[in-house]
Amino acid sequence: ATTIPRRAETANREHNDKDDCFRGEGYGFKASDIRLYFNARLEEDILHHASKCDVAVIAFETVGDLLEVKIICEVLNSKSDLLNEKALSTWVTLTCGTEDTVDTGGSVTSCIEVLAACPQVTGVGVNCTEPHLVTPIIGVIKQALRDCDAEEKLIVVYPNSGETYLCRGLQDGETDHWKKHSMYEDWKYADAAKEWIESGANIVGGCCRITADDIAELVENLGRV
């Protein structure tokens, strides 16, 4: 999903006012175009090579739109026999602007309800989203899975560092395309990740600006991988 033009962005991004920052349904793409995109990435030869390389999970990440979620599930359903034959699982993670909404404004609950009904999706969650949103989003996901009788699905979370991505040219005084925020000055990934695990996350990692050192500190604190 993150290689679709105009889609390869975190929800916490900043554009110039004059720039196109379209966050509507399908990010302006027709459903047929989105379907072609995902079909092309799940062709039989690709899945065959993935299986040969011992790939266990195919991740659809930074998904910020309900229409996109629906089409991913449609495509996965159409490939169900092939995915089962190759023993490939999938997870779908959302990028969220708030604890209740994905990037284009649709509800997290609606997205999870669609994913809960898709047998090919074994994990759901959130990625490339501000860390302080993760714990409440886990709560929303757990409730939606419970309501859909789909609590067997894993919850996967790997947020970014909370910095805003400057999806524009740098201005005077700016030296980096990631803008830090004071609320994260004393924030520690390892401490936050332990909270996510305690809240119900089964798989925890990091997206943009989370480093290998951050992950290593978490593993050391937990005393296990």
Side-chain angles (χ1 to χ4, degrees), residues 84-161:
N84 290 334
E85 177 190 334
K86 304 301 182 185
L88 291 167
S89 299
T90 66
W91 76 46
V92 180
T93 51
L94 310 171
T95 183
C96 303
T98 73
E99 63 188 69
D100 298 308
T101 59
V102 294
D103 186 39
T104 58
S107 80
V108 172
T109 297
S110 295
C111 291
I112 298 301
E113 288 172 347
V114 173
L115 295 169
C118 184
Q120 289 71 43
V121 174
T122 53
V124 299
V126 60
N127 80 290
C128 219
T129 295
E130 293 184 75
H132 76 277
L133 297 174
V134 173
T135 297
I137 290 172
I138 291 173
V140 172
I141 292 172
K142 288 173 67 177
Q143 184 62 55
L145 292 177
R146 189 178 304 117
D147 291 344
C148 295
D149 195 23
E151 292 178 275
E152 76 282 356
K153 294 192 188 293
L154 301 176
I155 296 178
V156 185
V157 300
Y158 48 114
N160 56 37
S161 64

Side-chain angles (χ1 to χ4, degrees), residues 166 170-178:
L166 304 180
L170 296 179
Q171 300 172 355
D172 290 346
E174 295 176 339
T175 59
D176 196 294
H177 277 278
W178 289 93

Side-chain angles (χ1 to χ4, degrees), residues 181-198:
H181 296 288
S182 57
M183 69 178 294
Y184 290 111
E185 283 182 358
D186 298 322
W187 178 79
K188 288 189 176 182
Y189 167 81
D191 293 339
K194 289 177 68 175
E195 178 182 307
W196 305 331
I197 293 168
E198 291 168 357

Side-chain angles (χ1 to χ4, degrees), residues 63-77:
V63 179
D65 180 59
L66 178 58
L67 175 61
E68 190 177 353
V69 168
K70 291 178 178 177
I71 292 172
I72 288 171
C73 290
E74 288 176 13
V75 172
L76 289 174
N77 282 326

Side-chain angles (χ1 to χ4, degrees), residues 3-4 15 22 36 38 45 53-54 62 70 81 83 87 90 108 134 138 148 155 157 169 178 181 196 205 211:
T3 58
I4 301 177
H15 293 248
F22 185 76
L36 283 172
F38 284 112
D45 60 336
C53 294
D54 293 326
T62 326
K70 291 178 178 177
D81 289 344
L83 289 166
T90 66
V108 172
V134 173
I138 291 173
C148 295
I155 296 178
V157 300
W178 289 93
H181 296 288
W196 305 331
T211 68

